[in-house]
Amino acid sequence: DAMVIQNPRYQVTQFGKPVTLSCSQTLNHNVMYWYQQKSSQAPKLLFHYYDKDFNNEADTPDNFQSRRPNTSFCFLDIRSPGLGDAAMYLCATSSSGGLQETQYFGPGTRLLVL
Amino acid sequence: AQSVTQLGSHVSVSEGALVLLRCNYSSSVPPYLFWYVQYPNQGLQLLLKYTTGATLVKGINGFEAEFKKSETSFHLTKPSAHMSDAAEYFCGTSYGKLTFGQGTILTVHP
């Protein structure tokens, strides 16, 4: 089945230690998104790629970076994680980014910062 | 900015009872509206969406929602709740980007 895969499902890192979360998709979608979801809150868009074009949300901290080496893979890099970055990180895809399109979400990576 | 408001952060129903989850949007232009469901420690899954056309939208798992422009609402309903419906539900609008309401946790008790 076509799907969005996130690895690992759970990630533990230390305060200030860089961490990378990965997302892959078999849907061959052009657009990939990263959301941050803190406990009991709605997912919040961090940034997205339309093909190779990177689009950062205005309020996304500089501590968060992303890479998309090819259509299938997208990475979220947190350069110096703080305690406030502990959250669920959701990757999603859509075919061409149209506003009416469905976004397909992966199962998420839960990040714990010690 | 366009937004959605979900009334009630927690809703509890008995198995077999009607499910009603409320969502209101703020927009001068009718937006695209979505309902997603999130099971514990999982990603979001689309239940249904309204883009254009018929205002009563049917989704998966027996859910439906009606777009009411006069009330700026897009409430989610299901005639008979199942235990498996227990989850968190997010209403969303994509005027510009996909933005979610704060979510409603649905509890279904026997």
Side-chain angles (χ1 to χ4, degrees):
Chain A
D1 287 340
M3 56 197 307
V4 181
I5 302 160
Q6 291 189 245
N7 286 307
R9 294 294 314 276
Y10 298 89
Q11 176 74 57
V12 181
T13 191
Q14 293 179 337
F15 182 94
K17 184 175 181 180
V19 64
T20 295
L21 309 182
S22 69
C23 176
S24 63
Q25 53 125 345
T26 60
L27 297 160
N28 203 32
H29 282 173
N30 285 321
V31 190
M32 296 187 76
Y33 308 83
W34 279 104
Y35 289 85
Q36 180 192 61
Q37 184 179 24
K38 294 188 176 181
S39 182
S40 303
Q41 295 185 21
K44 179 177 175 294
L45 183 64
L46 294 173
F47 27 60
H48 73 276
Y49 273 95
Y50 184 94
D51 196 10
K52 295 182 180 180
D53 293 332
F54 178 70
N55 297 272
N56 198 30
E57 292 298 303
D59 56 355
T60 297
D62 293 339
N63 199 25
F64 291 84
Q65 304 286 322
S66 186
R67 297 170 284 134
R68 189 179 185 186
N70 54 52
T71 299
S72 300
F73 285 86
C74 194
F75 300 97
L76 170 62
D77 301 308
I78 308 177
R79 293 191 298 184
S80 182
L83 297 179
D85 296 327
M88 173 79 91
Y89 290 89
L90 297 166
C91 174
T93 73
S94 71
S95 179
S96 60
L99 297 178
Q100 76 282 10
E101 288 185 358
T102 300
Q103 290 189 19
Y104 296 85
F105 285 80
T109 294
R110 185 168 295 281
L111 179 67
L112 180 62
V113 182
L114 301 179
Chain B
Q2 312 299 327
S3 67
V4 290
T5 302
Q6 292 183 239
L7 301 176
S9 58
H10 290 80
V11 170
S12 181
V13 300
S14 299
E15 192 173 21
L18 171 71
V19 176
L20 171 60
L21 305 182
R22 300 177 187 273
C23 174
N24 288 88
Y25 67 90
S26 65
S27 173
S28 59
V29 176
Y32 300 120
L33 292 162
F34 303 79
W35 276 101
Y36 282 83
V37 61
Q38 186 177 31
Y39 298 100
N41 291 313
Q42 295 293 323
L44 278 69
Q45 179 184 11
L46 181 74
L47 280 176
L48 49 80
K49 65 180 178 182
Y50 171 78
T51 55
T52 58
T55 56
L56 181 62
V57 181
K58 295 187 183 298
I60 62 171
N61 301 340
F63 284 94
E64 63 182 35
E66 186 171 9
F67 171 68
K68 292 187 176 181
K69 183 178 178 180
S70 61
E71 299 177 7
T72 61
S73 69
F74 190 57
H75 301 331
L76 182 71
T77 60
K78 181 174 180 178
S80 177
H82 293 171
M83 298 294 290
S84 60
D85 295 326
E88 187 160 18
Y89 293 79
F90 290 96
C91 181
T93 177
S94 67
Y95 192 84
K97 64 180 180 181
L98 183 57
T99 304
F100 295 99
Q102 285 302 102
T104 299
I105 295 173
L106 175 66
T107 303
V108 182
H109 50 86

